Structure formats: C-alpha cells, structure tokens
Amino acid sequence: MDSPLLHHLVVALTAFVVTAGITPVVVRLARRLGALDHPGDGRRVHTRAVPTLGGLAMLAGVLAALAVAWALGGPFAPLFASTSEPVALLVGALVIVLVGVADDLVGLPPTVKLAGQIVAALGVVLFGMQLVYVWVPGVEIVALSSDLGLVVTILALVAMINAVNLIDGLDGLAAGVCVIAALAFFAFSVATEGSGIRETLVPSSATLIAAVVAGIGAGFLVHNWHPARIFMGDTGAMLLGLLLGAAGVSYTARSTSPSNTDFYGSIPLLVPVLVLAIPFLDSAFAVVRRALQRRPLATGDRGHLHHLLIAFGHSHRRAVLVLYYWSALLAFGSVGPTFVPMVRLLPWLLVAAGVGLALTALGTQARGEDTAPEAGTRPGTRDDGAPPAPPRRRTTA
C-alpha cells in the first residue's frame, strides 16, 4: 500500500467505522446519564428528547484513526517521527471534549466554556502546533515571535471552535458542513504540499487531520441525519472546530512559499476560513446582530441562517441540504483556482451561484414529515415517558 491517498482513505474509513459503531453505545450512555436535549424554548426545532454527547463517539474515531495512521507508517511515518503534532492534536482533543462533556451535562457559564476552549488551544500550541510565520501580500514572509504566534494561534483555534459550534442547530448540519470543508481542504492540501508549489520545513498533519474529520463527520451523520437519534452536543461541535482549526494551523504554520501565485496562495491562512465560509458568515452575522440589539454575545436567538431558512418555509431536511450546497460551492470554489484557472472557473461558479439562489428561494410551507413529532412521542416528554427534565442547551448559538 504505497499510495498516500490510499493511506488517507484507510484512516478516514477507520474514523468512519469506529464513530458509526460507537455512537449507539454513546446513545445508551447519554440516556443513563440523563444527557438529553429537551424541547422547551423558541430556538429548538426538535419535538422530543434527544440524547447528546455524540462527540464522545467522534473522539473514539479520532483516537482509532490516529492509531491506524501511526501503525501504517508510509506517508505518516515522518510526521510521527519528526514532529509532536499528533501529540498536540490528542492533548487539544481530550481537553476540548472534557469541556464539552461538562457543558452538555451541567451547562457551563459562557466565560468558563471560553476559558476551557483557550486551555484546549493552548495545549495544542504548547505541544508543538503553532503559527511561526505567514505570508502577507506585498510584505511576503512575516515572522511571528513565539509570544505573538501563541496568541494568534489560540485566537484562530478558538474562532474555529465557535464557528462550528454556532452552526450546530439542525440535525446533520454541523457534521455535514465539516465533512464538506474537510474534503475541500484535503484536496487543496494534497494538490499543494510537496508539489513544488508549496514547500514545508517539516511534515504537516493537515491532510491527516482532514481525513480524520471527514471520517468522523460522515460516521456520525449515520445517526445524526434528520430525525436525529443523537446530537453531537458541544462535545462534538467544539471537537470538530478544534480539529479543522488545527488542520489550518498545521498547513499554514511552516510553509516557506505561497501555495499559489494568486490571492489564495498569498494568504494561505485564509484557506481554512474560506472552506468554512458558511459557519464564519453565520458567526459574523450573529455577533453583529446581537451587538446591534445590545444583547450578550452568548445569548441564543433564532436569527441563524438555518433558522431563517426554516422561517422562510424550507423543511428541516431541505434547509440542511441548501446549506450543504452553499458550503460545497464556497469551499470547493475557494480552492478551485488551485486546479483550474480562475478565468475558466468563474463562469461555472456564477452558474452554480444562480442555481443556489434558486434553490434557496424555493421555500415551501409543506414541512409535514420533517417537523411532526415521531409516532408515540409527545412534545416535551422523554422517550421513556418520564416527566421532562429542565431544558438543556443544544449549543451556545
């Protein structure tokens, strides 16, 4: 098995199988612990109690995938032998999952959760994954001091964590968007690393992390597609955000030449942001909206993109698929110039954007099967017939 792509496929399949296989166990564990997300406020679109803590299954997928990558060697051997990036990834993942579990079980104050996110990001940095220098148009290489690099890296990771967390509002939405982003980023990284277009001083874990994210996201979708049998909770959303952020940091941190001669290569740090354009746009709108309304940034509302699509008339599934479409268009459109000249790509992007606008405009009030309670389940009750517990927040959004 000499092909690097085949090695990455094995890692992704491992993450997929383990995550999908462990998730039913996590469902039972969540029910036993009382980790259920109950309907009960205006932001929730589900009508029955749903187990959460799905991020635990994702963590199992991450651990299994990294173990398989280490055992396979091949293109991963230099990464494990000459860098501590896999250790940094494990430390950050374990810390962010602990924070997420605590939040899903008892509901942490926003400041405490933010502190936990910073600690997880700090763990990633201290164990060897940090921005060292970046490319800026007209300036070329800008070296970052260790202190400045630490701060910038932590800010980037925390921003990515919260971008994914904020979009986790519909069944299958966050997982699917992260799979799309990971696939686009994987394609971009494979096309630029080791090709003479982009050189690195040491091996990068970017492609490995992207493969892992694609695998755990797809594996979780088996159980999270509407109607979801489990939610990922903050445990899973923050884990996905940290992993994608780490992939971007690893890719960008030590590049010694731009990844392309155009805009995308001049600022490679933008690539991870562009492939997650939908979560970042949603986060930006949320910050502006709440600032204009003079509301705390951590206060939830129904102004997110997925809420607006449902309010416009889309069913639950259709709203998710519309956001999948836009995510794919923005993600693959962003990395497309690496493969196809912009002059040839632009007309296709404009046509695809027109199709997207048409799909978005085709709202309908016929949402029957997507919003009706499942048979035998009354809104506001647990599946076991017990009285409803105090509502849990599905996300901080």
Side-chain angles (χ1 to χ4, degrees), residues 308-333:
L308 296 178
L309 285 173
I310 289 181
F312 186 69
H314 287 280
S315 67
H316 192 127
R317 291 192 184 96
R318 188 177 291 111
V320 171
L321 291 173
V322 167
L323 288 174
Y324 280 1
Y325 180 90
W326 282 111
S327 296
L329 175 59
L330 292 171
F332 287 98

Side-chain angles (χ1 to χ4, degrees), residues 339-354:
F339 306 92
V340 180
M342 179 59 82
V343 175
R344 292 173 53 191
L345 182 64
L346 185 59
W348 292 101
L349 291 178
L350 292 175
V351 171

Side-chain angles (χ1 to χ4, degrees), residues 228-322:
R229 296 188 288 276
I230 185 172
F231 294 155
M232 67 174 65
D234 283 0
T235 309
M238 294 196 298
L239 175 62
L240 287 173
L242 179 74
L243 292 175
L244 286 170
V249 169
S250 178
Y251 177 88
T252 308
R254 300 181 179 90
S255 61
T256 58
S257 63
S259 57
N260 212 326
T261 56
D262 58 11
F263 172 80
Y264 303 92
S266 300
I267 318 178
L269 185 60
L270 283 181
V271 175
V273 177
L274 291 170
V275 298
L276 273 173
I278 290 296
F280 274 104
L281 286 173
D282 194 40
S283 300
F285 290 152
V287 169
V288 172
R289 182 173 65 251
R290 293 167 190 175
L292 292 176
Q293 296 172 350
R294 297 183 179 180
R295 301 173 59 191
L297 295 181
T299 301
D301 58 33
R302 287 186 64 89
H304 292 285
L305 296 176
H306 48 274
H307 290 134
L308 296 178
L309 285 173
I310 289 181
F312 186 69
H314 287 280
S315 67
H316 192 127
R317 291 192 184 96
R318 188 177 291 111
V320 171
L321 291 173
V322 167

Side-chain angles (χ1 to χ4, degrees), residues 50-337:
V50 179
T52 183
L53 294 178
L56 290 176
M58 293 183 183
L59 177 63
V62 172
L63 297 176
L66 290 179
V68 167
W70 174 80
L72 285 175
F76 305 127
L79 174 68
F80 284 90
S82 61
T83 80
S84 58
E85 288 196 357
V87 177
L89 197 65
L90 284 174
V91 171
L94 291 173
V95 173
I96 203 67
V97 165
L98 287 175
V99 175
V101 168
D103 190 55
D104 287 333
L105 288 175
V106 300
L108 298 176
T111 52
V112 174
K113 184 158 64 172
L114 177 60
Q117 295 170 355
I118 293 174
V119 170
L122 181 62
V124 171
V125 173
L126 292 180
F127 280 86
M129 194 179 291
Q130 177 178 333
L131 293 170
V132 177
Y133 45 81
V134 296
W135 276 79
V136 176
V139 182
E140 296 190 349
I141 289 181
V142 174
L144 302 176
S145 67
S146 58
D147 292 338
L148 180 58
L150 182 147
V151 172
V152 173
T153 305
I154 289 176
L155 289 175
L157 291 175
V158 171
M160 193 73 77
I161 289 169
N162 285 287
V164 176
N165 200 22
L166 282 171
I167 203 173
D168 181 30
L170 296 180
D171 298 351
L173 179 57
V177 167
C178 287
V179 169
I180 292 168
L183 292 175
F185 189 68
F186 178 83
F188 178 82
S189 300
V190 169
T192 56
E193 287 192 27
S195 62
I197 299 175
R198 173 180 178 268
E199 302 297 336
T200 57
L201 297 177
V202 296
S204 167
S205 58
T207 56
L208 173 60
I209 300 173
V212 171
V213 171
I216 64 174
F220 189 69
L221 268 176
V222 172
H223 306 278
N224 187 235
W225 184 247
H226 185 74
R229 296 188 288 276
I230 185 172
F231 294 155
M232 67 174 65
D234 283 0
T235 309
M238 294 196 298
L239 175 62
L240 287 173
L242 179 74
L243 292 175
L244 286 170
V249 169
S250 178
Y251 177 88
T252 308
R254 300 181 179 90
S255 61
T256 58
S257 63
S259 57
N260 212 326
T261 56
D262 58 11
F263 172 80
Y264 303 92
S266 300
I267 318 178
L269 185 60
L270 283 181
V271 175
V273 177
L274 291 170
V275 298
L276 273 173
I278 290 296
F280 274 104
L281 286 173
D282 194 40
S283 300
F285 290 152
V287 169
V288 172
R289 182 173 65 251
R290 293 167 190 175
L292 292 176
Q293 296 172 350
R294 297 183 179 180
R295 301 173 59 191
L297 295 181
T299 301
D301 58 33
R302 287 186 64 89
H304 292 285
L305 296 176
H306 48 274
H307 290 134
L308 296 178
L309 285 173
I310 289 181
F312 186 69
H314 287 280
S315 67
H316 192 127
R317 291 192 184 96
R318 188 177 291 111
V320 171
L321 291 173
V322 167
L323 288 174
Y324 280 1
Y325 180 90
W326 282 111
S327 296
L329 175 59
L330 292 171
F332 287 98
S334 297
V335 304

